[in-house]
Amino acid sequence: MLKKRIAVLVSGGGTNLEALLKAERGGMIPHGEIVLVIASNSAAYALKRAENYGVDHAVSEKKVLGAEGFEARIQALLEEHRVDVIILAGFLSILSAEFTSRWKDRIINVHPSLIPSFCGAGAYGLRVHEMALSYGVKVTGATVHFVNEVPDGGKIILQKAVEVKEDDTPETLQRRVMEEAEWKLLPAAAELVCAALAEGKEI
């Protein structure tokens, strides 16, 4: 079976990347193979995680290359590695509509809430969990969706709910959402997309 080639785009510590790499090595993504990690930040610990797993890794920094050069380098790296699917795993740079249109239904992103709740401008990282606690919801979760032209605007692939506890802080809630939702959803969504592409089906 010819596996679909996956690139993971990251900006920070790479815990979601680690979950994907463990899942792949554990046989949970049989139709996909992680062949490249691209970081938007040269200091991202995710690069070390990629190195530890023997995965090719590179950096593209917008502050160094400018917006056009940043995306041009990413595109060149994707083409060089013959990538089929892009996974945004804690990638904090916004990709342009021009870029995402070239990868329609090939870019998947994880968001730490149940979309359409707590998403959109300014809703990322710990802020999402602060918003959930401030609003007083009893259930939150995570969503994996396609990125087509606008953030949080693509078709939802998978969602998983997570309980909010009375004594939660943004940090404890973030950790539970990662452990109970994000780290499970990302590998499952990667396999769904790669399997569909391998079999010539639509998601």
Side-chain angles (χ1 to χ4, degrees):
M1 178 181 63
L2 189 60
K3 295 186 176 186
K4 294 301 171 181
R5 297 170 65 82
I6 300 169
V8 184
L9 274 56
V10 297
S11 293
T15 52
N16 281 339
L17 169 65
E18 181 87 17
L20 282 162
L21 290 166
K22 285 182 177 178
E24 183 204 337
R25 300 299 163 92
M28 295 172 61
I29 314 176
H31 289 87
E33 176 186 10
I34 299 170
V35 298
L36 175 65
V37 172
I38 302 175
S40 64
N41 169 16
S42 60
Y45 186 72
L47 292 167
K48 181 63 176 175
R49 295 184 195 270
E51 181 182 333
N52 290 342
Y53 279 83
V55 176
D56 283 354
H57 48 285
V59 176
S60 183
E61 291 186 285
K62 190 177 290 187
K63 65 182 179 183
V64 175
L65 300 172
E68 289 186 11
F70 166 74
E71 289 192 349
R73 174 159 169 75
I74 291 174
Q75 182 66 28
L77 288 163
L78 297 172
E79 291 175 1
E80 178 186 337
H81 287 78
R82 307 186 312 283
V83 167
D84 300 298
V85 176
I86 301 167
I87 299 176
L88 307 182
F91 188 67
L92 299 181
S93 292
I94 300 298
L95 296 166
S96 70
E98 180 182 355
F99 181 94
T100 58
S101 66
R102 293 197 296 264
W103 293 87
K104 181 173 170 55
D105 293 342
R106 298 293 185 100
I107 305 175
I108 66 176
N109 181 48
V110 63
H111 184 76
S113 76
L114 298 173
I115 292 174
S117 298
F118 314 123
C119 62
Y124 63 88
L126 203 60
R127 294 182 188 181
V128 178
H129 306 292
E130 291 171 348
M131 292 165 69
L133 291 174
S134 176
Y135 197 84
V137 295
K138 301 301 182 186
V139 175
T140 185
T143 303
V144 178
H145 62 96
F146 283 118
V147 176
N148 290 331
E149 297 183 1
V150 292
D152 301 329
K155 181 167 58 178
I156 289 173
I157 305 170
L158 292 172
Q159 289 186 306
K160 189 175 191 304
V162 174
E163 178 189 4
V164 178
K165 299 183 178 180
E166 288 189 7
D167 60 347
D168 264 329
T169 65
E171 291 79 9
T172 61
L173 184 57
Q174 180 183 51
R175 183 70 186 186
R176 189 179 315 109
V177 169
M178 285 193 297
E179 291 178 347
E180 296 184 10
E182 294 181 44
W183 297 350
K184 292 178 170 60
L185 289 179
L186 268 175
E191 173 56 18
L192 275 175
V193 173
C194 289
L197 290 173
E199 297 165 9
K201 298 178 181 176
E202 290 189 9
I203 298 293

